[in-house]
Amino acid sequence: AWTIALSLFLPILWMFISSFKTQLQAISVPPQLFFEPTLENFSLVQERSDYMKHALNSVVTSFGATLLALVIAIPAAYSMAFFPGKKTKDILLWMLSTKMLPAVGVLMPIYLLLRDNDLLDTRIGLIIIFTLMNLPIVVWMLFSFFKDLPKEILEAGRMDGASPWGEVTRIVMPLSVGGIASTALLSIILCWNEAFWSLNLTAAEASPLTAMIASYSSPEGLFWAKLSAASTLACAPIVVFGWFCQKQLVQGLTFGAVK
């Protein structure tokens, strides 16, 4: 486990180290492990790109899309988990199959739809796309969590006169806080890291941090030191966020619910 973890962490560490090198040091062969750190790359990134604007766009679109996805997915997962029909499994498989479709295959119609509705290069447009992109995964995860809830608790609630809405808000959601939190965290991370739609549907006003990183690729070549600095600034918030929320990300669900 440690070997796999360190192997996955090595590219992040290398990116972080390269961000403190000069351009010549960053592309030197063999790599320089000992060097005098510099903050020049971070200063250049701040001068060239409006980091705070890109970061705010990432925060608004990631959290907005996650919230909208949960609003849609919680009732959908609740109905399929507790009131399954003959086609419930088929619907779930169909939803998941949409993730297998190459995004570029639907780029043109989505681009035209957003253009005709004046949603290109807007946060609302990205929120809608990110929501649709992650909705199958969010529904699947919540369905799995809700499916494990003890049926006796819901039956007791119905005997006490709980309506379907009361079951969702007063029984299912409180018991599923861990599952909803882990689902929300995963959705936020997926939205934050999404680059394809960000690059193709934004230009200047709504472009998130992933678009800012892509701007450091030019016909003249890749400026590794600046690119590493931009990537570090883009990855740092979500890495820190994930670190503090790792307990919720892997937390178990409804332990001791049935007394």
Side-chain angles (χ1 to χ4, degrees), residues 148-177:
D148 291 336
L149 287 176
K151 301 295 189 299
E152 295 82 358
I153 294 181
L154 272 73
E155 292 174 357
R158 291 167 190 166
M159 292 180 64
D160 289 338
S163 63
W165 178 248
E167 285 185 20
V168 173
T169 57
R170 297 184 180 182
I171 301 176
V172 175
M173 291 181 63
L175 290 177
S176 306
V177 169

Side-chain angles (χ1 to χ4, degrees), residues 231-250:
S231 300
T232 299
L233 289 173
C235 295
I238 199 65
V239 169
V240 173
F241 179 74
W243 176 265
F244 282 107
C245 298
Q246 59 179 320
K247 182 179 179 180
Q248 287 76 15
L249 196 59
V250 297

Side-chain angles (χ1 to χ4, degrees), residues 129-159:
I129 296 303
F130 288 172
T131 299
L132 297 175
M133 175 188 71
N134 290 329
L135 197 56
I137 295 177
V138 174
V139 171
W140 259 88
M141 289 186 65
L142 291 178
F143 172 81
S144 300
F145 290 132
F146 293 170
K147 196 72 175 175
D148 291 336
L149 287 176
K151 301 295 189 299
E152 295 82 358
I153 294 181
L154 272 73
E155 292 174 357
R158 291 167 190 166
M159 292 180 64

Side-chain angles (χ1 to χ4, degrees), residues 10-28:
L10 183 59
I12 301 176
L13 177 63
W14 190 255
M15 173 190 70
F16 178 76
I17 293 175
S18 298
S19 65
F20 292 96
K21 295 181 177 181
T22 63
Q23 181 61 27
L24 291 178
Q25 291 172 338
I27 62 175
S28 63

Side-chain angles (χ1 to χ4, degrees), residues 20 37 60 63 73 86 97 106 177 179 185 201 237 255:
F20 292 96
V60 171
F63 283 82
K86 294 181 179 180
S97 69
V106 293
V177 169
L185 289 171
L201 301 179
F255 289 113

